[in-house]
Amino acid sequence: MTSCNEEKLEVLPFHLDKKSYEVMLMGWNDIPITNGSGRLSVTTEDKEIVSVSCTTLGNDGVTAMLRITGLEKGTVNLIVKDDVTNEMERISVKVTDSYLVYEVGQSKHPSLPNGTIMYLINNEAKDCYFFTYNNIKHEVCSDFITKGSYSFSVEKNSDSNLSYETLPYLTLTYKTDENDILTDADVPAKAHKFNLIGSSSLAYSAINKFLGVDWDELAKTHNLRSESIVTFMKMQEDGTNYLLHGEITLFPQIPEGVLK
């Protein structure tokens, strides 16, 4: 049971427009409440699947904020009650596989131009979903462009121009058309191999935590990692001049209904 105890001067009827939500494993989903008293109690059917906290705000049109954190994959029902109006809402929360989000910020790559958002899913298939971002609505487009796969590796350096003994790689496998543009057409997928030299140390840590990648083999080449506190990731495709700069994060969340 979680409760918010700050006073609210004006009490409005409490309701939630949505009755189902998603959150990833080890991630969180903040749900703004724009009505009611802001004093809420939440009861969950299974505390092993999610944890819930509530903060009373009462400013900028938001009375409270519910934070749902994914603890274990599964679906659970929550009862959200307004302690002042005694109105209640029942919602369903699905906890999905964990994932990382890579937002391409600078790129001349024909397949992965600026604005491309990749979701690397921590599942057995190592799925990767490619989306675009709607700058007008400030949200991820609801339909993905195509679905591919990914893999990480650490390999012995064979490039005499690089002084490192080993190199970290991300290999993306996806489908493109005759112009090398991402497509969901029925064509063979092709592997694209990117070295990650110059990525921040936090990017490697995030990949380890949320995708389960063991970077122990990189211990002797720790100096290849930037010490920046920003989780940026650089990707240089082998055999090309294509260099991508972007940030690897947990947000924006993947549109609901995509993941099982």
Side-chain angles (χ1 to χ4, degrees), residues 3-8 38-41 54-56 83:
S3 182
C4 301
N5 296 312
E6 293 185 8
E7 294 293 336
K8 178 74 175 176
R39 296 174 56 184
L40 305 176
S41 298
C54 176
T55 303
T56 299
D83 293 336

Side-chain angles (χ1 to χ4, degrees), residues 29-223:
N29 190 351
D30 287 335
I31 303 172
I33 309 300
T34 58
N35 51 57
S37 69
R39 296 174 56 184
L40 305 176
S41 298
V42 184
T43 304
T44 175
E45 290 180 346
D46 192 337
K47 294 181 180 180
E48 300 297 319
I49 295 180
V50 297
S51 66
V52 186
S53 62
C54 176
T55 303
T56 299
L57 300 176
N59 54 19
D60 296 328
V62 179
T63 61
M65 185 74 72
L66 287 179
R67 169 165 290 192
I68 302 176
T69 303
L71 305 178
E72 183 178 306
K73 280 191 67 178
T75 302
V76 64
N77 291 318
L78 306 179
I79 302 296
V80 184
K81 179 186 176 184
D82 189 303
D83 293 336
V84 173
T85 68
N86 288 320
E87 294 164 303
M88 293 187 294
E89 290 279 11
R90 183 185 182 91
I91 62 174
S92 173
V93 177
K94 180 172 72 173
V95 180
T96 69
D97 289 306
S98 60
Y99 54 81
L100 282 178
V101 188
Y102 185 64
E103 300 182 61
V104 180
Q106 299 178 43
S107 169
K108 293 184 178 180
H109 198 295
S111 303
L112 306 171
N114 294 0
T116 303
I117 297 184
M118 301 186 303
Y119 290 88
L120 308 177
I121 314 301
N122 187 7
N123 59 8
E124 187 175 355
K126 301 302 179 187
D127 290 323
C128 181
Y129 292 87
F130 299 86
F131 285 79
T132 54
Y133 191 80
N134 188 322
N135 289 303
I136 297 177
K137 295 184 177 181
H138 302 290
E139 63 183 21
V140 180
C141 295
S142 58
D143 296 325
F144 58 86
I145 307 169
T146 189
K147 176 183 174 182
S149 62
Y150 72 92
S151 65
F152 288 95
S153 61
V154 179
E155 302 178 16
K156 195 171 184 65
N157 178 29
S158 59
D159 187 345
S160 59
N161 295 318
L162 296 175
S163 59
Y164 309 112
E165 185 176 344
T166 58
L167 300 177
Y169 284 97
L170 167 61
T171 299
L172 297 173
T173 302
Y174 52 78
K175 298 184 292 184
T176 58
D177 61 19
E178 62 275 7
N179 297 315
D180 207 19
I181 305 299
L182 289 172
T183 181
D184 204 31
D186 186 16
V187 296
K190 180 182 177 182
H192 299 257
K193 191 175 181 180
F194 300 85
N195 80 59
L196 305 181
I197 293 295
S199 299
S200 72
S201 58
L202 286 182
Y204 290 102
S205 298
I207 291 167
N208 171 257
K209 178 177 180 179
F210 293 97
L211 299 181
V213 176
D214 187 354
W215 294 106
D216 284 348
E217 295 178 80
L218 286 177
K220 55 188 173 185
T221 56
H222 181 76
N223 62 333

Side-chain angles (χ1 to χ4, degrees), residues 197-255:
I197 293 295
S199 299
S200 72
S201 58
L202 286 182
Y204 290 102
S205 298
I207 291 167
N208 171 257
K209 178 177 180 179
F210 293 97
L211 299 181
V213 176
D214 187 354
W215 294 106
D216 284 348
E217 295 178 80
L218 286 177
K220 55 188 173 185
T221 56
H222 181 76
N223 62 333
L224 66 83
R225 308 182 189 183
S226 165
E227 295 304 316
S228 169
I229 61 172
V230 180
T231 54
F232 70 85
M233 190 164 77
K234 294 174 66 175
M235 297 170 52
Q236 170 77 54
E237 184 172 11
D238 274 12
T240 76
N241 293 322
Y242 295 135
L243 179 63
L244 287 74
H245 293 258
E247 188 173 358
I248 193 158
T249 68
L250 302 181
F251 297 95
Q253 296 181 116
I254 195 167

